[in-house]
């Protein structure tokens, strides 16, 4: 169904369900429903299940616009609570993916008990309020028809369960698997990974090998035929509930605890003295406070020390860190604290998430989602410029591109004689980085904004700058 040109922007990732479509009008997040989806929504909206799950924050806040806008080509239009930052599952840590899976199953279980089900089981149905997951695909709910299986089982396996099995049983980071395919990990790939003795690991016999065998056996049958067979076999809501409970029990067992990594004890092993750290914290606090409430982005967040400082003033903070183990530790701490303003994400700044899916825009690139009022780039520049061979002007181009016009870039320059910089330069050919100097760095900053504050840390080998971008 085509939406007329009324100033709305269609969400590129919302097109696979013809019964509903998400679009944006200014800052509003709206969802159009066709006649059948509107009936399902109106039945759902008056249930205790939906009201209670929304009140608990499990399902995104939703209301129907009444009357329906006259220019809307839909039977009903919903307005959703706006989630501060949209992330992708391959940017989550293992504990985040596990909690997203458990939320999905908890919502599905309660929906089944209330006479509803969900059309799909994708990890993309979940987003985050800080460290709290929230189910966002309200258009996925439909009335339950007895005798039919959960239509989302395959998606749930491919985008949630299989990545958790890979992480827990094989000790492999799941993020590259999910980033490679928007539809997740295929059963055929899982069977190759879990052959031999591995085929008996928890969850593998049923959800990998048996699932794959049944899928192959029914590959020639239509969806209608399979559903008819299940109805004839006596498949019921009770069996569906038992399946969901079994999946939840399995997922709770898949609690992977990453071991120590190079960056997991950064605060102890880094080169900061106590006076340096105190001066740095005070500078960051003043800079974020001066920018005012809004969004903040902490690049290279590590244990979240500066993201927490930013959260004193910003409405929400996205804390980006390359090491999945470090992000997982930070997420668990934030979750246990009930933090709803800081979202930790796994991200390599030298290889950030690209656009993906259909036409490369179904899942937006990180650079298209991450523009913030305050950007913290602390102890990052030297890793990109020296460690990853990114030219210094390009490093600053990227940092300023992520900063809203009139917003603040808080950036740290580690001098060439700093112990960390010397360590990075030690194995580099002489003369490879002739422009990595403070005067060159300051000249580049001046061409990209207005330096409104600067401080040299007491050690004398690191300088902090606050730059108003476009100012």
């Amino acid at each position: 169904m085509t939406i007329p040109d009324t100033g709305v922007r269609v969400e590129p990732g919302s097109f696979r369900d013809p019964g509903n479509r998400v679009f944006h009008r200014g800052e509003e997040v709206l969802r159009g429903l066709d006649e059948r989806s509107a009936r399902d929504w109106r039945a759902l909206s008056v249930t205790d299940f939906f009201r209670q799950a929304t009140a608990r924050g499990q399902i995104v806040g939703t209301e129907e616009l009444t009357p329906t806008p006259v220019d809307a080509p839909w039977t009903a239009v919903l307005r959703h609570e706006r989630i501060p930052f949209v992330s992708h599952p391959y940017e989550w840590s293992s504990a985040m993916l596990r909690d997203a899976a458990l939320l999905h199953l908890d919502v599905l279980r309660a929906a089944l008990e209330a006479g509803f089900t969900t059309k799909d089981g994708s990890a993309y149905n979940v987003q985050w309020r800080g460290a709290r997951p929230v189910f966002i695909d309200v258009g996925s709910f439909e009335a339950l028809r007895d005798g039919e299986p959960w239509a989302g089982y395959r998606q749930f396996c491919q985008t949630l369960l299989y990545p958790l099995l890979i992480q827990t049983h094989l000790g492999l980071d799941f993020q590259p698997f999910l980033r490679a395919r928007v539809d997740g990990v295929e059963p055929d790939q899982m069977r190759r990974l879990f052959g031999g003795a591995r085929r008996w690991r928890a969850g593998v016999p049923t959800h990998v090998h048996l699932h794959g065998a049944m899928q192959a056996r029914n590959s020639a049958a239509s969806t209608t035929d399979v559903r008819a067979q299940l109805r004839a076999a006596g498949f019921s809501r009770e069996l569906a509930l038992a399946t969901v409970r079994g999946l939840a029990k399995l997922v709770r067992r898949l609690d992977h605890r990453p071991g120590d990594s190079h960056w997991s004890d950064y605060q102890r092993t880094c080169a900061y003295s106590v006076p340096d750290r105190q001066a740095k914290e005070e500078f960051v606090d003043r800079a974020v406070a001066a920018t005012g409430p809004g969004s903040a982005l902490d690049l290279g967040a590590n244990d979240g020390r500066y993201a927490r400082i930013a959260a004193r003033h910003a409405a929400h903070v996205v804390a980006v860190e390359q090491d999945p183990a470090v992000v997982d530790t930070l997420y668990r701490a934030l979750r246990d604290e009930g933090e709803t303003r800081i979202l930790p994400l796994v991200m390599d700044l030298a290889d950030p998430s690209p656009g993906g899916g259909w036409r490369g825009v179904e899942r937006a690139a990180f650079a298209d989602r991450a523009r913030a009022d305050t950007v913290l780039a602390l102890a990052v520049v030297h890793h990109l410029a020296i460690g990853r061979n990114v030219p210094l002007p390009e490093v600053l181009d990227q940092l300023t591109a992520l900063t809203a016009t009139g917003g603040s870039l808080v950036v740290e320059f580690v001098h060439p004689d700093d112990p960390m910089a010397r360590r990075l330069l030690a194995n580099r050919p002489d003369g490879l980085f002739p422009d990595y100097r403070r005067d060159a760095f300051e000249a580049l900053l001046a061409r990209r904004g207005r330096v409104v504050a600067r401080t040299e840390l007491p050690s004398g080998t690191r300088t902090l700058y606050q730059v108003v971008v476009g100012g």
Side-chain angles (χ1 to χ4, degrees):
M1 185 175 295
T2 303
I3 298 176
D5 185 10
T6 56
V8 302
R9 178 176 63 86
V10 176
E11 171 55 51
S14 173
F15 64 88
R16 295 185 182 272
D17 182 354
N20 68 98
R21 190 79 184 263
V22 174
F23 54 98
H24 304 267
R25 185 175 64 186
E27 291 298 307
E28 292 182 307
V29 180
L30 307 177
R31 184 187 298 269
L33 305 175
D34 68 7
E35 184 176 357
R36 177 176 174 177
S37 296
R39 285 199 305 270
D40 284 332
W41 152 252
R42 286 165 181 158
L44 173 76
S45 65
V46 297
T47 62
D48 290 341
F49 146 67
F50 185 79
R51 290 172 174 169
Q52 292 168 5
T54 302
R56 289 193 298 266
Q58 292 180 303
I59 298 177
V60 68
T62 304
E63 61 180 351
E64 183 175 348
L65 297 184
T66 306
T68 301
V70 294
D71 57 347
W74 303 97
T75 301
V77 175
L78 309 181
R79 178 165 54 206
H80 297 305
E81 162 201 358
R82 189 173 190 86
I83 301 299
F85 187 85
V86 174
S87 61
H88 302 326
Y90 44 85
E91 298 165 350
W92 304 345
S93 75
S94 58
M96 293 175 74
L97 192 74
R98 177 175 175 268
D99 285 351
L102 288 172
L103 172 70
H104 209 306
L105 293 171
D106 193 35
V107 167
L108 176 60
R109 177 195 53 75
L112 288 169
E113 291 172 350
F116 291 85
T117 186
T118 55
K119 300 175 187 177
D120 55 51
S122 173
Y124 293 93
N125 289 349
V126 176
Q127 286 299 322
W128 300 86
R129 299 188 193 94
R132 292 185 61 189
V134 55
F135 188 90
I136 64 167
D137 192 6
V138 173
S140 178
F141 291 105
E142 64 178 354
L144 176 67
R145 290 178 289 277
D146 208 31
E148 293 194 1
W150 177 34
Y153 173 68
R154 178 187 171 105
Q155 276 187 324
F156 181 86
C157 287
Q158 293 187 186
T159 63
L160 286 160
L161 180 60
Y162 290 170
L164 287 171
L165 292 174
I166 288 170
Q167 183 84 67
T168 304
H169 293 327
L170 303 183
L172 299 175
D173 291 330
F174 69 84
Q175 292 85 1
F177 290 87
L178 284 183
R179 177 168 159 171
R181 291 182 56 90
V182 71
D183 293 327
V185 187
E186 294 285 345
D188 284 347
Q189 185 178 20
M190 287 294 291
R191 287 196 294 274
R192 289 194 294 271
L193 289 171
F194 285 90
R198 291 174 177 172
R199 68 182 295 117
W200 306 114
R201 303 281 178 91
V204 174
T206 300
H207 300 289
V208 175
H209 292 288
L210 180 60
H211 179 202
M214 292 181 64
Q215 184 174 295
R217 187 182 64 187
N218 294 318
S219 60
S222 68
T223 302
T224 302
D225 291 339
V226 173
R227 288 176 174 173
Q229 292 170 17
L230 287 168
R231 280 195 295 270
F235 191 87
S236 64
R237 176 167 58 177
E238 286 68 32
L239 285 175
L241 280 166
T243 299
V244 172
R245 293 189 186 103
L247 280 168
K249 182 178 179 180
L250 170 62
V251 170
R252 280 192 289 270
R253 293 175 62 187
L254 302 176
D255 189 11
H256 175 74
R257 297 272 180 168
D260 291 340
S261 70
H262 177 68
W263 298 107
S264 59
D265 199 15
Y266 178 73
Q267 291 301 333
R268 184 180 63 82
T269 60
C270 70
Y272 292 107
S273 65
V274 172
D276 274 9
R277 183 176 293 120
Q278 182 177 354
K280 184 173 177 177
E281 291 177 0
E282 291 173 353
F283 186 89
V284 170
D285 187 75
R286 289 194 302 269
V288 183
T291 305
S295 58
L297 180 61
D298 185 5
L299 302 175
N302 202 264
D303 67 356
R305 176 183 295 265
Y306 299 100
R308 293 176 187 276
I309 293 173
R312 297 173 187 169
H313 310 286
H316 66 91
V317 182
V318 177
V320 172
E321 167 58 43
Q322 177 180 348
D323 191 319
V326 173
V327 175
D328 203 66
T329 299
L330 174 58
Y331 166 73
R332 290 173 187 269
L334 295 171
R335 177 192 62 189
D336 294 346
E337 296 164 16
E339 178 60 69
T340 59
R341 293 165 299 164
I342 302 174
L343 171 63
L345 295 178
V346 178
M347 184 79 59
D348 180 355
L349 296 175
D351 183 23
S353 300
W358 175 244
R359 300 180 71 183
V361 297
E362 184 179 357
R363 304 302 172 200
F366 178 71
D368 295 331
R369 292 174 279 135
R371 198 168 172 85
D373 299 303
T374 302
V375 173
L376 306 181
L378 307 170
V380 163
V381 169
H382 60 299
H383 286 293
L384 293 173
I386 303 174
R388 305 297 286 273
N389 285 16
V390 181
L392 201 52
E394 293 197 28
V395 173
L396 288 177
D397 283 344
Q398 180 60 35
L399 297 180
T400 53
L402 294 173
T403 310
T405 302
S408 288
L409 168 63
V410 182
V411 61
E412 179 176 10
F413 183 74
V414 176
H415 304 183
D417 58 343
D418 181 88
M420 181 62 75
R422 289 204 308 268
R423 191 181 311 166
L424 290 172
L425 289 166
N427 296 319
R428 299 291 186 168
D430 291 342
L432 187 60
F433 301 98
D435 297 325
Y436 188 80
R437 310 185 315 273
R438 184 166 64 170
D439 60 334
F441 183 77
E442 291 182 347
L444 291 169
L445 281 182
R447 290 200 289 270
R448 289 162 175 78
R450 178 168 50 92
V451 178
V452 296
R454 172 172 51 198
T455 190
E456 187 170 306
L457 297 185
S459 64
T461 63
R462 298 186 178 215
T463 306
L464 298 173
Y465 305 83
Q466 180 186 359
V467 183
V468 175
V469 173

